[in-house]
Amino acid sequence: MTAIIPPRTPPSSPAPDPAGRRGLYARVSLGKVFAPVPSEFLLIASTALLLTGFGLVMVLSATSALNGGADPYDHVIKQGVFALLGIPLMFVASRMPVSFWRKIAWVALIGATAFQLLVFVPGLGVESYGNRNWVVIAGFQFQPAEFLKIALALWMGAVLYRKRTLLTSWSHVFIPVVPVGIMVVATVLAGKDLGTAMILVLVILAALFFSGVKLRIFILPAIAALGAVAFFAVSSPNRMARIMSFLNAGTLDCYYDDCYQALHGVWGLAGGGVFGLGLGNSREKYDWLPAAANDYIFAIVGEELGLIGCAVILALFALFAVGAFHIIRKTDDSFVRIVAGAITIWIVGQALINIGVVLRVLPVLGVPLPFMSQGGTSLLSVLLACGVLLSFARSLPVQAR
């Protein structure tokens, strides 16, 4: 007789532990926060912070002689406020996914263009040295065109990303890039700011280049841009005077006319020698060099810190470019490549133009040195652009070791 063995009752599963599950989720989320970041992230973030800190020190030094030195901290405190806003904003932007930047591209461009148009509103717009570039809101002065640079880079990336399979056709490259680009640049040229307009054109050309547009298509907008710059340079007597002074081989015969600022910038660099006169010991800042804390802050760096200080600045920008170009090289996303390329060419190209003006190898164009020149709007826009690059760095594919 076979014994019948009753089936074994499966052990009852333990009751769910909501508290334990929440703890696991918390540990996973915390692990994501403190997860290792790519080397490109560290390189871009560290160089941005070092250049910003270096810039605050030099702004303090360059402005300490203004107003008789009565309030030497007034200018650097204002610059510091924008640094305290921009640095956290950079790291907040670094946490945003790539899809976020693609979605807000149109909104960013429309908003930045509307902000730029405020310079033409009576009571808000401010004109200085013949240029109408600034607005005053609640006692703070802003330069809206600085935000157009990053907005245009994002918009170009979003448009060219959507047309990535159609970029072999001239019509798809032309529309809407060229009409919209012309309208955006025109809002800046209406305020007679050719320097900023040239940087915007540089952003457009860089985006086209990194999108993979064929050279035969890319070269037409490049020629058109150069022709437009030449036309606006020739059409302004003030701009032509600065260009002719740059080409003038006899430097002293235009000292009291158009060469004054350029000559004092070169003399400041030459006076610093290799080791400089020492931090705070510039002579040119005592009402000799106009815009010592703005467009010509590199001359003060050379005078006070010498060739070594200038070399450090150039090395930091070179490291920044290395980190940014690594993002361009490693990414598989064409949107990331286009925007990162446009931002990199904007920041590094503007730095080289500013330094070239101070060295007098380029005519005076009136563009600030990124991170370092006095100007809160410029610093804020550059730090935000760095946040976009850091966001892209987080999206890089992980390579197996």
Side-chain angles (χ1 to χ4, degrees):
M1 181 176 180
T2 304
I4 299 175
I5 301 175
R8 298 178 61 184
T9 305
S12 57
S13 57
D17 183 9
R21 190 168 299 176
R22 285 196 300 270
L24 177 61
Y25 290 157
R27 288 195 297 273
V28 171
S29 300
L30 193 62
K32 290 180 179 179
V33 173
F34 292 100
V37 293
S39 58
E40 292 80 10
F41 184 100
L42 298 176
L43 198 57
I44 293 172
S46 59
T47 51
L49 293 176
L50 287 172
L51 284 168
T52 302
F54 204 158
L56 289 174
V57 173
M58 295 312 303
V59 167
L60 173 60
S61 177
T63 58
S64 60
L66 299 180
N67 303 323
D71 191 3
Y73 299 103
D74 181 52
H75 296 275
V76 74
I77 287 175
K78 291 180 180 178
Q79 186 79 354
V81 168
F82 283 97
L84 290 176
L85 289 174
I87 291 173
L89 183 62
M90 177 179 71
F91 287 108
V92 169
S94 72
R95 307 296 303 183
M96 299 300 174
V98 174
S99 58
F100 170 80
W101 302 113
R102 193 181 300 127
K103 290 176 182 176
I104 69 164
W106 275 97
V107 176
L109 184 65
I110 294 172
T113 306
F115 191 27
Q116 168 65 19
L117 292 175
L118 292 181
V119 301
F120 305 108
V121 177
L124 291 179
V126 176
E127 184 172 341
S128 178
Y129 297 103
N131 292 350
R132 196 174 183 87
N133 303 341
W134 298 271
V135 294
V136 176
I137 301 175
F140 287 92
Q141 185 167 298
F142 301 92
Q143 189 173 0
E146 292 296 328
F147 294 117
L148 276 176
K149 298 173 184 176
I150 182 172
L152 189 58
L154 290 172
W155 180 82
M156 289 289 296
V159 170
L160 294 174
Y161 171 78
R162 291 187 61 184
K163 294 194 170 194
R164 59 190 181 278
T165 59
L166 304 171
L167 295 181
T168 55
S169 171
W170 162 249
S171 60
H172 286 284
V173 175
F174 185 85
I175 298 175
V177 168
V178 174
V180 174
I182 289 175
M183 287 189 292
V184 170
V185 174
T187 62
V188 177
L189 284 175
K192 301 180 181 180
D193 187 359
L194 182 61
T196 303
M198 288 177 60
I199 300 300
L200 292 175
V201 172
L202 196 63
V203 169
I204 295 173
L205 295 178
L208 289 173
F209 177 80
F210 287 104
S211 68
V213 171
K214 298 295 183 181
L215 183 61
R216 58 184 172 81
I217 298 178
F218 170 80
I219 202 168
L220 292 178
I223 294 174
L226 290 175
V229 169
F231 170 77
F232 285 107
V234 172
S235 62
S236 171
N238 180 36
R239 297 190 192 109
M240 278 303 299
R242 288 188 293 181
I243 293 174
M244 296 307 296
S245 67
F246 156 71
L247 297 175
N248 190 355
T251 54
L252 292 179
D253 54 357
C254 62
Y255 174 78
Y256 292 105
D257 195 3
D258 300 309
C259 299
Y260 180 87
Q261 185 176 20
L263 284 175
H264 277 282
V266 172
W267 291 346
L269 284 171
V274 176
F275 300 102
L277 302 178
L279 191 61
N281 293 330
S282 167
R283 303 187 186 101
E284 292 292 340
K285 67 184 180 182
Y286 288 95
D287 292 333
W288 288 103
L289 179 61
N294 304 104
D295 300 343
Y296 274 79
I297 197 167
F298 190 75
I300 304 300
V301 173
E303 187 180 13
E304 295 188 350
L305 303 178
L307 178 63
I308 294 176
C310 294
V312 169
I313 297 298
L314 291 172
L316 288 174
F317 275 109
L319 290 174
F320 176 88
V322 168
F325 279 116
H326 274 201
I327 295 175
I328 299 169
R329 181 176 63 86
K330 292 182 180 181
T331 185
D332 298 325
D333 190 330
S334 59
F335 172 78
V336 171
R337 182 171 58 253
I338 295 167
V339 178
I343 290 175
T344 304
I345 296 300
W346 152 32
I347 295 176
V348 178
Q350 183 172 315
L352 293 177
I353 290 172
N354 176 275
I355 294 170
V357 168
V358 175
L359 293 173
R360 215 178 177 216
V361 298
L362 293 174
V364 179
L365 296 173
V367 294
L369 183 61
F371 298 106
M372 296 192 64
S373 290
Q374 183 185 15
T377 316
S378 174
L379 179 60
L380 200 60
S381 65
V382 169
L383 288 174
L384 181 57
C386 288
V388 175
L389 290 178
L390 295 179
S391 171
F392 293 165
R394 291 182 181 274
S395 71
L396 292 179
V398 179
Q399 296 181 352
R401 296 185 178 182

